[in-house]
Amino acid sequence: MKNDLSWMLDSALEIPGALHAVLVSADGLLMARTKDLGRDSADTVAAAMSGVQSLSRSLAFFCDGEDLQWRQTLVEFDGGWVFLISAGEGAYLAVSAAADIDMADITFRMQQLVGQLGKELATSPREDIGHLS
């Protein structure tokens, strides 16, 4: 399944300016990464994104509602962006992008990808139950 997820993540990079993508579990473990991102870097990003999401979620009160659901976090750097969104129960999708990315295009693509990932993550692995006689 991991190869399928990586292929799906690579499709996010079809948007001009998209650089890397990772799928992260809620506890900060790397679930999948785009092929151009090394494993060590991806593990670091996964741990950091889990923390970013947790910190972001804790700020609901700042919007006058402690029961508000976190949806996304956007971090801007001098030369680029990091987008972090929910990818279903206990998973997050993070994409890094160049400064000139079309923000509407990348967020739309990420939402499409979350829909595809949700189906993939919800599919349980098949078990070999043997042949029926």
Side-chain angles (χ1 to χ4, degrees):
M1 179 165 72
K2 193 172 249 187
N3 287 340
D4 291 341
L5 296 178
S6 295
W7 176 83
M8 292 171 126
L9 291 182
D10 284 336
S11 72
L13 304 185
E14 295 170 359
I15 302 296
L19 302 172
H20 308 288
V22 294
L23 183 63
V24 181
S25 69
D27 55 358
L29 297 177
L30 178 65
M31 297 172 70
R33 62 187 164 92
T34 49
K35 64 183 172 212
D36 60 335
L37 184 62
R39 177 65 193 225
D40 288 343
S41 293
D43 283 336
T44 300
V45 170
M49 289 298 99
S50 177
V52 166
Q53 187 279 334
S54 180
L55 288 170
S56 297
R57 191 174 60 200
S58 71
L59 290 171
F61 78 92
F62 197 50
C63 293
D64 292 333
E66 293 191 21
D67 60 342
L68 298 176
Q69 295 296 311
W70 171 84
R71 293 185 187 221
Q72 71 177 0
T73 299
L74 179 62
V75 181
E76 181 180 12
F77 295 93
D78 289 346
W81 302 92
V82 174
F83 298 82
L84 179 66
I85 65 172
S86 176
E89 187 70 29
Y92 312 114
L93 173 63
V95 174
S96 64
D100 62 349
I101 188 97
D102 183 317
M103 295 176 91
D105 281 351
I106 193 63
T107 54
F108 180 73
R109 180 66 190 119
M110 289 176 72
Q111 290 298 330
Q112 285 181 316
L113 189 52
V114 163
Q116 295 168 343
L117 288 168
K119 293 175 188 171
E120 187 70 24
L121 293 172
T123 304
S124 56
R126 296 181 187 206
E127 295 182 32
D128 183 9
I129 58 173
H131 297 298
L132 296 175
S133 304

